[in-house]
């Protein structure tokens, strides 16, 4: 059975080159018998290391980057983040170095954004962290109880929804850049459309978590190589930060400015 998370598809998840009797991902054999396969514990440990790296660099960026340097540091971190993300996602190069480097750079972005929000809406970051933890727990329960089943059709829907949301964000940014005060309204607190958009984005983030959980379960069941755990950790952190940032924005709509 192939992972339904499109990020985890491709030859990178097949057997090691030169393996005897190896079959493509989803077959009975992943690698030579001597090679260790992925376990749930591998994913938990690597996911924890990735998340801790992100949190530590976020805290450092929050505490150490002065307000005057936030714009240039944020731009540099965003460029580095996109570059490392593309290298991992398209180059199929997830390992400890690349995933932890991505988490470190992404942490800088998250830390600077969080600090900016907290300066305006005091306490909103803590609320967003709690909301993200609750969303993660609820999504895991939904997956474990099979309330929502991850099928190929569901995966296609999630990918289409994610692309549509990102497309709308780009259009909104472009309209704002060329003179529109509030873009197309999806990020304007005074526009009901902004509330609908944020809720939809949070739900799509939870749907991506479902794809991540399915990728982990499928990888363990079919004997994916140990290195696949880094891809799983990468996907889980991406989904969690997506949810966190959207919850942060949604909560800011209901918070008074300090």
């Amino acid at each position: 059975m192939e992972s339904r998370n499109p990020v985890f598809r491709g030859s990178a998840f097949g057997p090691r080159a030169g393996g005897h009797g190896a079959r493509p991902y989803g077959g009975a054999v992943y690698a030579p018998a001597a090679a260790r396969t992925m376990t749930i514990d591998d994913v938990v440990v690597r996911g924890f290391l990735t998340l801790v790296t992100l949190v530590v660099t976020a805290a450092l960026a929050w505490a150490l980057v002065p307000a005057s340097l936030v714009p240039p540091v944020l731009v540099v971190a965003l460029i580095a983040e996109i570059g490392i993300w593309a290298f991992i996602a398209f180059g199929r190069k997830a390992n400890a170095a690349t995933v932890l480097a991505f988490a470190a750079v992404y942490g800088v972005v998250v830390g600077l954004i969080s600090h900016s929000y907290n300066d305006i809406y005091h306490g909103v970051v803590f609320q967003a962290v709690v909301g993200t933890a609750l969303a993660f727990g609820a999504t895991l329960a939904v997956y474990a109880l099979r309330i929502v089943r991850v099928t190929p059709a569901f995966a296609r829907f999630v990918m289409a929804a994610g692309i549509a949301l990102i497309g709308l964000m780009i259009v909104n940014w472009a309209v704002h850049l060329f003179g529109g005060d509030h873009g197309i309204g999806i990020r304007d607190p005074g526009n009901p459309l902004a509330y609908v958009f944020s809720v939809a984005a949070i739900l799509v983030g939870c749907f991506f978590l479902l794809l991540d959980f399915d990728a982990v379960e499928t990888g363990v069941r079919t004997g994916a190589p140990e290195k696949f755990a880094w891809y799983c950790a990468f996907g889980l952190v991406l989904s969690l930060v997506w949810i966190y940032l959207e919850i942060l924005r949604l909560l800011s709509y209901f918070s008074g400015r300090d």
Side-chain angles (χ1 to χ4, degrees), residues 167-250:
L168 285 173
M169 291 179 192
I170 294 173
V171 170
N172 184 73
W173 175 80
V175 172
H176 178 74
L177 183 65
F178 290 102
D181 290 340
H182 300 291
I184 59 177
I186 61 173
R187 294 306 197 186
D188 176 16
N191 191 328
L193 185 61
Y195 297 81
V196 175
F197 184 86
S198 286
V199 171
I202 292 168
L203 288 175
V204 169
C206 292
F207 293 159
F208 271 108
L209 269 183
L210 290 174
L211 297 186
D212 295 331
F213 295 151
D214 178 72
V216 173
E217 183 180 42
T218 301
V220 172
R221 185 176 64 250
T222 57
E226 182 185 0
K227 67 178 182 179
F228 186 59
W230 282 113
Y231 287 94
C232 294
F234 173 64
L236 286 167
V237 168
L238 275 176
S239 299
L240 280 173
V241 174
W242 170 299
I243 293 169
Y244 165 75
L245 292 176
E246 288 300 331
I247 290 179
L248 184 64
R249 182 178 286 274
L250 180 62

Side-chain angles (χ1 to χ4, degrees), residues 117-123 255-258:
Y117 269 90
N118 204 66
D119 283 344
I120 302 173
Y121 312 102
H122 183 68
S255 301
R257 288 174 174 264
D258 290 341

Side-chain angles (χ1 to χ4, degrees), residues 48-63:
F48 177 77
L49 290 174
T50 304
L51 192 58
V52 166
T53 300
L54 186 145
V55 170
V56 168
T57 56
L60 290 174
W62 179 311

